[in-house]
Amino acid sequence: WLRFNTNTMAARIGRRRCAGAALLFTAFTATAFINVSPNWNPQREDEAFQQGLWKAVALFNAACWGSSYVSSQAGIDALNTAGVEDAAVVFGACRFLLAALPMLPWILKSSCPESARGSALVGSLSAIAYAAVFASLSHGTTGAKAAFIMALQTIIVAFCSSLAAKRFQLGSMASAFLAICGVAFLELGEVDGASTAAAGDLLCMAAPLLMGLSWHLLGEHMRTFPQDATPAVAIQLACFALVFVGWSLFEQLMAHGVGGLGTWLQQVPTWLEVPNLLPALIFSAFLGNTVTFLLCNCAMRKLKAEEVSLLSASEPLWAALCASLMLHQS
């Protein structure tokens, strides 16, 4: 999860300047993508409206995902204050369990086994990418650097799209590069020693590779099985829950033996009573996952994977704006 450098007024002013630069880059990127993308040529005005509508939805998703970094950090801080061991992993397990719960009725509703397997593959890749980010943060990678590294997934998606189209897509690659520049202005402009490699950086590099591949596969999957948008979300979130619950239980097993597993299960109700946890948990689970995953899968039926991925690269911008607003309120 992102850690924001907000200790001094100079850092706050610097972040606002970087946020403004990132906003300009992101806005130009979105415009450039619409104008340059070779396959975006709707024949009717209503098709153009549909494209614009779903791009607005994708941008809303990015805003929610970026803001969930802040809410997740708040939830992790609440668990740390309460003395919960491995607070970040515990929060992740609670978040994805809560997000997956309302989708359980659709988990076996895929139209065919091939669709279910595709959804499971996408969900597994995304969940492991998230886990790689979590692990890198515990091995010295800063949140700002992790955000920048994660944004490299736009390059991976553009590269996969070029391979699938069997031609170099200059518009996609150029837009992805501009998005990376915007994130670099936002996240690396204020980080002291940002160029210094940390032990977790190499681990974090797995995240954009896995996430970029999952974006590409999700786009292909939604075009092949457009009727399975909801069951796909159910399976994806189940994969997230399995990865993070399994990780948390493994940590307990290694630290406390078999008895630690029973203790973990007994502590779940008490975790939910931790002050200031529930608002952060509910926002992160539902707006950060359940609702936005549903909207994302629906958008993927109308948009190309590189378009959605590109808009999602603005997550650090929304995270910084959300953190700035919270600081102003405090």
Side-chain angles (χ1 to χ4, degrees):
W1 305 111
L2 297 185
R3 303 185 186 98
F4 298 98
N5 180 16
T6 56
N7 294 328
T8 66
M9 183 60 68
R12 297 183 188 182
I13 295 173
R15 180 165 293 279
R16 291 192 185 97
R17 290 176 178 172
C18 290
L23 181 58
L24 290 174
F25 268 100
T26 305
F28 179 78
T29 298
T31 304
F33 199 96
I34 290 174
N35 292 332
V36 181
S37 181
N39 295 325
W40 195 87
N41 186 22
Q43 298 178 356
R44 298 191 304 271
E45 187 175 346
D46 61 332
E47 291 179 350
F49 175 77
Q50 293 260 342
Q51 290 273 327
L53 177 63
W54 285 111
K55 285 176 181 177
V57 168
L59 192 60
F60 168 78
N61 286 348
C64 290
W65 290 332
S67 300
S68 71
Y69 281 116
V70 182
S71 63
S72 295
Q73 186 63 64
I76 293 169
D77 290 343
L79 289 173
N80 276 323
T81 301
V84 176
E85 189 177 0
D86 296 322
V89 183
V90 167
F91 183 86
C94 292
R95 170 182 173 174
F96 294 117
L97 275 175
L98 186 61
L101 189 61
M103 302 304 301
L104 288 179
W106 288 273
I107 199 167
L108 299 178
K109 299 292 185 179
S110 297
S111 58
C112 64
E114 183 183 358
S115 174
R117 287 193 296 269
S119 300
L121 177 59
V122 170
S124 299
L125 289 172
S126 301
I128 296 172
Y130 270 63
V133 173
F134 269 70
S136 69
L137 292 177
S138 64
H139 287 82
T141 301
T142 64
K145 193 185 291 186
F148 172 72
I149 292 174
M150 191 64 164
L152 296 175
Q153 51 89 12
T154 58
I155 299 290
I156 304 300
V157 176
F159 178 73
C160 290
S161 299
S162 294
L163 285 180
K166 297 182 179 179
R167 67 174 183 272
F168 182 75
Q169 297 181 324
L170 179 61
S172 299
M173 296 298 292
S175 298
F177 176 75
L178 287 173
I180 296 300
C181 290
V183 175
F185 266 99
L186 174 64
E187 292 299 336
L188 301 184
E190 300 169 18
V191 179
D192 295 331
S195 59
T196 303
D201 293 355
L202 183 61
L203 181 60
C204 193
M205 285 300 298
L209 293 173
L210 294 170
M211 188 59 71
L213 183 58
S214 72
W215 275 118
H216 177 72
L217 293 176
L218 180 60
E220 296 288 337
H221 186 66
M222 286 296 98
R223 282 192 292 272
T224 306
F225 304 102
Q227 73 277 15
D228 287 344
T230 303
V233 171
I235 295 173
Q236 290 165 26
L237 289 175
C239 291
F240 272 82
L242 285 173
V243 167
F244 277 86
V245 170
W247 185 8
S248 185
L249 290 175
F250 177 76
E251 293 281 354
Q252 286 292 314
L253 181 64
M254 295 300 294
H256 306 290
V258 178
L261 302 180
T263 303
W264 189 94
L265 294 174
Q266 293 174 0
Q267 288 177 337
V268 172
T270 62
W271 291 336
L272 298 179
E273 297 176 359
V274 170
N276 303 319
L277 174 64
L278 277 181
L281 183 61
I282 291 172
F283 180 90
S284 300
F286 294 122
L287 279 178
N289 292 118
T290 308
V291 174
T292 46
F293 275 32
L294 283 167
L295 291 174
C296 178
N297 281 14
C298 291
M300 281 291 199
R301 297 183 297 190
K302 301 292 184 180
L303 303 175
K304 293 178 292 185
E306 58 264 35
E307 291 176 303
V308 179
S309 168
L310 186 66
L311 290 169
S312 73
S314 66
E315 288 177 29
L317 169 64
W318 300 109
L321 291 175
C322 181
S324 179
L325 287 174
M326 292 178 67
L327 282 172
H328 179 71
Q329 292 173 355
S330 62

